[in-house]
Amino acid sequence: MERRMSVATHWGSFIAVVDSGRLVRIEPRGDDPAPSPIGPGMVKAADDSARVLRPAVRKGWLNGLPRVHDTARGADAFVEVSWDDALTLVSDELRRVRTQHGDSAVFGGSYGWASAGGFHNAQSQLQRFLALGGGYTDSRNTYSTAALEVILPHVIGGHPWSYQSRMPMWDEIAENCELVVAFGGLALKNSQINPGGLARHQTRDLQRRCREAGVRFVNVSPLRSDAAGFLDAEWLPVVPNTDTAAMLGIAHTMLVNGWHDEDFLRRCCVGFDRFASYLGGESDGIPKDAAWAAEITGISRDTITDLAHRLATRRSLIMVNYAVQRADHGEQPIWMSVVLAAMAGSMGRPGCGWGAGYATMDATGVAPGRPSVAAVPKAPNPVEDFIPVARIADTLMHPGKTIDYDGRRLTLPELRLIYWCGGNPFHHHQDLHRLTRAWQTPDTVVVHEAWWNTTAKFADIVLPVATTLERDDFAAGFSDPHLAAMPRVREPEGESRTDHHIFAALASRLGYEKEFTQSRSELEWVRHLYEETRAELGGAAALPGFDDFWRNSTAELPPLTGPFPGSFQALRSDPRRSPLPTPSGRIEIFSETIDSFGYDDCAGHPTWYEPVEWLHADLSARFPLHLISNQPASRLHSQYDNGGHSLSSKIRDREPVTINPSDAASRGIENGMVVRVHNDRGSCLAGAILSDDVMPGVVQLATGAWWDPVRPGLSGTLDRHGNPNVLTADRPCSRLSQGPSALSALVDVERYDDPLPEVRAFSPPDLEHRTRPGFVPE
């Protein structure tokens, strides 16, 4: 008999249809106007051959081979062991590393999205477990927005993510704005997702409403597809990594023509005079005028001049997307976009001014926030050491090295044990061959995984975990006003257990189980967090009791009405009564703080720095195409690459790469061919799609294809499947943020006429089974 059950994911809410314990299908909810196709594709992956079914230990590690610089990690077979033996191995190794090398030698590697769910949040569970056990080295910031997270608190003040509630919402834009200029575009494919979940996708309809209200859009991006067709957006193809130069050219044009908002700049900003000197070329002899910007960006001088006039004379909004800051000097386009908005005259006016990340997540621009929801309580981390998130390979390869970070000097710790739970470093990180070399250095890598993806294959101990469909939880999405019940849809596959179950068992062996679990079962935790939220919001007046919520699947949180701290409208109205949380209380066009750091790659005001790799670099003679490794449309990062929707997007089993027809013709490439994308860092195979939606000189290869090297563990080997991070550089944006610079990479593309190697990304490693190995197989 079929049962219909609520499912909440990062890509929306669905209905799971289950028959006799078997997941039959996943359906969109009827009230979602734009459901993501990723959801139905989850069925394919639920019990496929890539599932990790039992605890497994890398054979060489189990045999006692030297655990430092063991080059077999990533190429070795695994031995399946009992849960009892696996937990003993992990607890003993944690105890050994802490005793011999200190708590900072343990790295708590849990990054980003993991699975939706308030209680079964992998990062919260791991960090609580490690903190209660003595502490761990943590990471700071995100691969998505590291440069933004560091620069914005200096420029506009507040928490790195506070801008989300301070920028205009889509309904305000529709009502008040005339012109939106989007640097990096506003691709609808990204709005499929929302951290923690969402009830209904709204971004598409809200964008459409803006266009119907007469708002004009300009898409400044190498990709025409970065704006939905119904927006009728004017496309300005821009040389990748030159957005800052384009903005400087617009700003200079405003300045020399007197089109800038002198009143707002005088009352609400600091440092414009010093920045104006830079614009005029007083410091370096180079005026940053429209002709200068045109030569760099590929956007004509007349277009830049016209855009400057339109921005200054219409009610306008400057948008900047996250992609532009994942590049060399990625802080600069974020900083410069704020300055340009301040100059244009609309900053702090309803529906106008500045904003970031529109359409990157569905909630961005939809709602300014939601009331806080109770979460797994954090335990204080006794270890003060941390690393910038994208510097994991540097840390493993160069312990003891000192680096700059946001005005501090950090010493990279020596990491002996990596504990990774809820994330995939072999998706997020750049230059995977370099990461492979770095990954050989720790004594032990422990991974919780549901599938045999690359991270699992590069571990020493793999513990199988239940998926979001296999546990009880509730979802509370970022800025989404709905809570969604997440009852278990099916039993865990094989011997899978939840992350919490595993950590509770390890905590028992290490002597702090009661402190970790607080003597609650998992469902009791879910009830406790819900009821704690309900009490905080005023009890029954705000939310129904847990049993009603669990039975009815959803509950709605009361709306937040503001005003929100750091409002640009309040700043414009009265900067003395409503200062920003910056040192000056105003927008810092020139930052004395950043200037005092003395960084040669991040001055005290927005500055054009030539990227290391771009289409005007000397290296372009050998690698004449700029790689855009953006977010995929068919999955969330690498999640459910083995799902039905992602698999359906492949070309001859490879990730698609989009090439301009002129670039393809000169290389003899036809639509649907398998091609080799390569540079000095690596190479991968991909399926060619020819489209003039990509400007000449640019190729687009989405992130997230599970890395599938021909010879695992051998740095430099060919990737069969199409992961762009074999091509991207593991180089920080700057000394300020140490963020990733994935979008600063040059490549070339050629036909691949050799016999195609079989894609093995979704195949498990060689597995042996021991009923009682004694930790050393025969």
Side-chain angles (χ1 to χ4, degrees), residues 573-614:
S573 176
D574 192 334
R576 291 185 178 180
R577 294 186 61 183
S578 304
L580 300 183
T582 60
S584 64
R586 294 181 280 176
I587 295 172
E588 304 238 334
I589 295 176
F590 183 90
S591 168
E592 296 283 359
T593 301
I594 293 177
D595 187 60
S596 71
F597 298 158
Y599 296 154
D600 57 2
D601 55 4
C602 190
H605 56 69
T607 304
W608 163 250
Y609 297 96
E610 185 173 316
V612 177
E613 293 185 39
W614 67 310

Side-chain angles (χ1 to χ4, degrees), residues 336-460:
M336 185 59 217
S337 66
V338 176
V339 174
L340 185 59
M343 293 180 66
S346 294
M347 192 73 160
R349 301 190 189 280
C352 302
W354 174 88
Y358 286 96
T360 302
M361 304 176 290
D362 186 80
T364 304
V366 173
R370 59 158 171 76
S372 61
V373 174
V376 176
K378 289 187 175 182
N381 183 6
V383 173
E384 295 182 358
D385 289 336
F386 70 89
I387 63 170
V389 67
R391 302 274 63 82
I392 179 64
D394 287 346
T395 303
L396 292 171
M397 297 175 85
H398 305 294
K401 177 183 177 181
T402 57
I403 64 170
D404 290 298
Y405 172 76
D406 198 15
R408 302 174 59 170
R409 293 287 289 170
L410 303 179
T411 299
L412 301 179
E414 182 178 24
L415 304 179
R416 305 301 289 259
L417 186 149
I418 294 177
Y419 206 130
W420 211 282
C421 172
N424 183 356
F426 285 88
H427 155 69
H428 280 107
H429 202 71
Q430 284 66 61
D431 194 348
L432 291 180
H433 294 306
R434 184 172 188 262
L435 181 63
T436 298
R437 295 192 294 273
W439 209 251
Q440 309 304 323
T441 60
D443 296 3
T444 303
V445 178
V446 181
V447 167
H448 291 196
E449 251 305 335
W451 290 278
W452 281 108
N453 60 17
T454 315
T455 300
K457 293 174 182 176
F458 272 78
D460 296 312

Side-chain angles (χ1 to χ4, degrees), residues 311-643:
L311 279 168
T313 57
R314 299 184 185 180
R315 298 190 302 274
S316 61
L317 172 64
I318 302 288
M319 292 181 175
V320 61
N321 217 330
Y322 297 158
V324 301
Q325 53 89 66
R326 291 193 290 268
D328 288 335
H329 317 293
E331 301 85 1
Q332 302 308 314
I334 300 298
W335 196 350
M336 185 59 217
S337 66
V338 176
V339 174
L340 185 59
M343 293 180 66
S346 294
M347 192 73 160
R349 301 190 189 280
C352 302
W354 174 88
Y358 286 96
T360 302
M361 304 176 290
D362 186 80
T364 304
V366 173
R370 59 158 171 76
S372 61
V373 174
V376 176
K378 289 187 175 182
N381 183 6
V383 173
E384 295 182 358
D385 289 336
F386 70 89
I387 63 170
V389 67
R391 302 274 63 82
I392 179 64
D394 287 346
T395 303
L396 292 171
M397 297 175 85
H398 305 294
K401 177 183 177 181
T402 57
I403 64 170
D404 290 298
Y405 172 76
D406 198 15
R408 302 174 59 170
R409 293 287 289 170
L410 303 179
T411 299
L412 301 179
E414 182 178 24
L415 304 179
R416 305 301 289 259
L417 186 149
I418 294 177
Y419 206 130
W420 211 282
C421 172
N424 183 356
F426 285 88
H427 155 69
H428 280 107
H429 202 71
Q430 284 66 61
D431 194 348
L432 291 180
H433 294 306
R434 184 172 188 262
L435 181 63
T436 298
R437 295 192 294 273
W439 209 251
Q440 309 304 323
T441 60
D443 296 3
T444 303
V445 178
V446 181
V447 167
H448 291 196
E449 251 305 335
W451 290 278
W452 281 108
N453 60 17
T454 315
T455 300
K457 293 174 182 176
F458 272 78
D460 296 312
I461 303 174
V462 182
L463 304 180
V465 290
T467 70
T468 189
L469 300 173
E470 299 167 348
R471 61 198 186 203
D472 293 317
D473 209 336
F474 73 98
F478 176 76
S479 286
D480 189 79
H482 301 87
L483 297 181
M486 299 172 61
R488 179 185 300 186
V489 168
R490 48 170 283 167
E491 292 300 311
E493 189 74 4
E495 297 180 16
S496 300
R497 299 179 178 179
T498 66
D499 295 311
H500 179 81
H501 186 128
I502 296 169
F503 289 133
L506 289 170
S508 176
R509 281 167 164 76
L510 295 167
Y512 56 94
E513 178 185 15
K514 187 173 182 180
E515 191 174 4
F516 177 76
T517 66
Q518 295 187 3
S519 301
R520 293 189 183 97
S521 70
E522 294 182 5
L523 189 55
E524 286 171 344
W525 265 111
V526 174
R527 179 185 291 270
H528 169 75
L529 296 178
Y530 178 87
E531 292 292 0
E532 188 176 14
T533 302
R534 181 170 176 256
E536 184 67 25
L537 294 176
L543 292 173
F546 179 79
D547 292 334
D548 287 341
F549 163 68
W550 201 247
R551 183 168 50 252
N552 295 323
S553 300
T554 60
E556 189 159 351
L557 297 166
L560 290 182
T561 57
F564 299 100
S567 163
F568 300 123
Q569 292 189 44
L571 177 73
R572 173 177 280 277
S573 176
D574 192 334
R576 291 185 178 180
R577 294 186 61 183
S578 304
L580 300 183
T582 60
S584 64
R586 294 181 280 176
I587 295 172
E588 304 238 334
I589 295 176
F590 183 90
S591 168
E592 296 283 359
T593 301
I594 293 177
D595 187 60
S596 71
F597 298 158
Y599 296 154
D600 57 2
D601 55 4
C602 190
H605 56 69
T607 304
W608 163 250
Y609 297 96
E610 185 173 316
V612 177
E613 293 185 39
W614 67 310
L615 289 176
H616 297 328
D618 292 342
L619 187 63
S620 66
R622 293 177 54 219
F623 300 110
L625 301 174
H626 195 114
L627 173 67
I628 301 294
S629 53
N630 58 357
Q631 296 303 317
S634 59
R635 57 187 171 266
L636 168 56
H637 294 302
S638 65
Q639 289 185 41
Y640 286 96
D641 189 31
N642 59 333

Side-chain angles (χ1 to χ4, degrees), residues 12-14 29 31-33 194 197-201 480-482 484 554:
S13 296
F14 300 89
R29 283 170 48 126
D31 57 351
D32 190 341
N194 197 58
L198 73 160
R200 292 181 293 275
H201 293 82
D480 189 79
H482 301 87
T554 60

